[in-house]
Amino acid sequence: MALASKKPTAIMSSSSSSLPPQLILTQDELKKIAAYKAVEFVESNMVLGLGTGSTAKHAIDRIGELLKQGKLTNIIGIPTSTKTHEQALSLNIPLSDIDTHPVLDLAIDGADEVDPDMNLVKGRGGSLLREKMIEGCCKKFVVIVDESKLVDYVGGSGLALPVEVVPFCWKFTANKLEELFCDAGCVARLRINADGNKNAPYVTDNGNYIIDLYFKKDIGDLKAAGDAMLRFAGVVEHGMFIDMATTLIVASEMGVTVRHK
Ligand SMILES: O=C(CO)[C@H](O)[C@H](O)COP(=O)(O)O
């Protein structure tokens, strides 16, 4: 893919609040701070997209707590993974799906990378397809991260861009993806199951595999890159969430920042 210029940042407004300066917070504590801030946007009677990952988990715990306390009522949650489904069930959050509720009021989810235009990389937790399906139906999509997730450009963390592929001839698809991004020094690797058999592929909630793409350089025009990947029949979805986030909440040692698009 050729390098192309990025569109100007479309941040319309932002606000921040400070934390006491003497505190040294762990990454998980920062995730929790961002998550709790996001839950301030949740109101009774909302249909909510429930994200996946260690940051979203804090938000879902908080929603469950507020429901239990009666401070939120009549919430319907739409989970983005089986893991989140189980967590929400354990918290007695009423659940549904986008067949029944095709328009959501709000979704809250973490991200692996956030670029200056609030484009995201998601899916290192393996749930990118359901996340994209559900978060694409939301009126508002609130992304919650600690500051380590902020990058200058997609791929800038040096970590993977995940792509969900059908298992059939996955090597063929992986080779096609490497070829597509050869100018960016792309290396494609099949994700291996971290929990169980070390040699078995990681299998998504949808029965697919994940190919992780590693880049040496900026891939340039994200939309063009995404469209090119989706033209391969074996590709189900990629982990770039372009122009989807409406609010970004970043927690750092300096405080919490909220940016609206
Ligand atoms: O996209 C995701 C799962 O598919 C997660 O939102 C992403 O991996 C961030 O995870 P964490 O909050 O644990 O850092």
Side-chain angles (χ1 to χ4, degrees):
M1 298 294 304
L3 230 73
S5 63
K6 288 182 173 174
K7 69 181 174 65
T9 304
I11 306 304
M12 301 292 285
S13 64
S14 72
S15 63
S16 63
S17 53
S18 299
L19 296 171
Q22 72 276 17
L23 288 180
I24 305 278
L25 298 168
T26 64
Q27 188 183 26
D28 192 55
E29 285 166 334
L30 293 175
K31 289 178 178 191
K32 188 170 179 177
I33 288 166
Y36 275 45
K37 186 75 188 167
V39 177
E40 291 178 13
F41 290 90
V42 177
E43 293 167 13
S44 294
N45 307 312
M46 278 187 166
V47 180
L48 289 180
L50 305 176
T52 297
S54 54
T55 318
K57 182 176 183 298
H58 288 303
I60 298 159
D61 280 341
R62 180 70 176 148
I63 291 164
E65 187 177 73
L66 293 174
L67 277 169
K68 194 171 171 191
Q69 292 169 354
K71 292 181 182 163
L72 281 177
T73 52
N74 195 30
I75 292 293
I76 295 173
I78 306 207
T80 55
S81 63
T82 52
K83 197 166 180 189
T84 296
H85 190 275
E86 282 162 21
Q87 185 199 356
L89 274 185
S90 75
L91 294 166
N92 298 315
I93 300 175
L95 297 179
S96 185
D97 57 36
I98 51 174
D99 282 341
T100 312
H101 291 91
V103 180
L104 283 67
D105 295 296
L106 185 94
I108 301 175
D109 202 354
D112 301 303
E113 289 185 355
V114 184
D115 84 359
D117 294 333
M118 285 166 58
N119 296 313
L120 317 174
V121 170
K122 288 185 53 55
R124 286 185 196 139
S127 307
L128 66 101
L129 176 59
R130 294 189 190 189
E131 289 171 338
K132 198 176 273 190
M133 288 180 73
I134 291 165
E135 288 151 11
C137 297
C138 294
K139 293 180 195 161
K140 289 183 184 160
F141 176 22
V142 181
V143 175
I144 46 177
V145 292
D146 68 90
E147 64 179 340
S148 71
K149 305 293 184 66
L150 302 181
V151 294
D152 292 335
Y153 60 91
V154 161
S157 67
L159 299 173
L161 167 62
V163 182
E164 183 154 345
V165 302
V166 294
F168 175 74
C169 288
W170 63 267
K171 280 185 200 164
F172 173 84
T173 306
N175 289 338
K176 287 284 180 194
L177 289 166
E178 256 188 21
E179 276 169 29
L180 176 66
F181 295 118
C182 62
D183 289 351
C186 177
V187 175
R189 293 215 179 94
L190 178 70
R191 189 176 298 184
I192 300 301
N193 194 343
D195 304 325
N197 184 345
K198 281 190 197 143
N199 297 317
Y202 174 88
V203 179
T204 70
D205 284 345
N206 318 299
N208 295 315
Y209 290 172
I210 299 272
I211 302 290
D212 284 317
L213 301 182
Y214 298 86
F215 302 104
K216 291 198 175 64
K217 294 186 206 155
D218 189 345
I219 57 171
D221 184 331
L222 302 183
K223 174 86 170 57
D227 289 348
M229 284 192 265
L230 294 174
R231 280 197 286 274
F232 295 134
V235 169
V236 179
E237 192 49 85
H238 60 78
M240 290 189 293
F241 285 45
I242 304 166
D243 217 9
M244 287 178 66
T246 59
T247 302
L248 172 65
I249 300 180
V250 183
S252 73
E253 289 290 337
M254 304 304 293
V256 190
T257 309
V258 182
R259 296 158 69 190
H260 298 287
K261 243 185 177 177

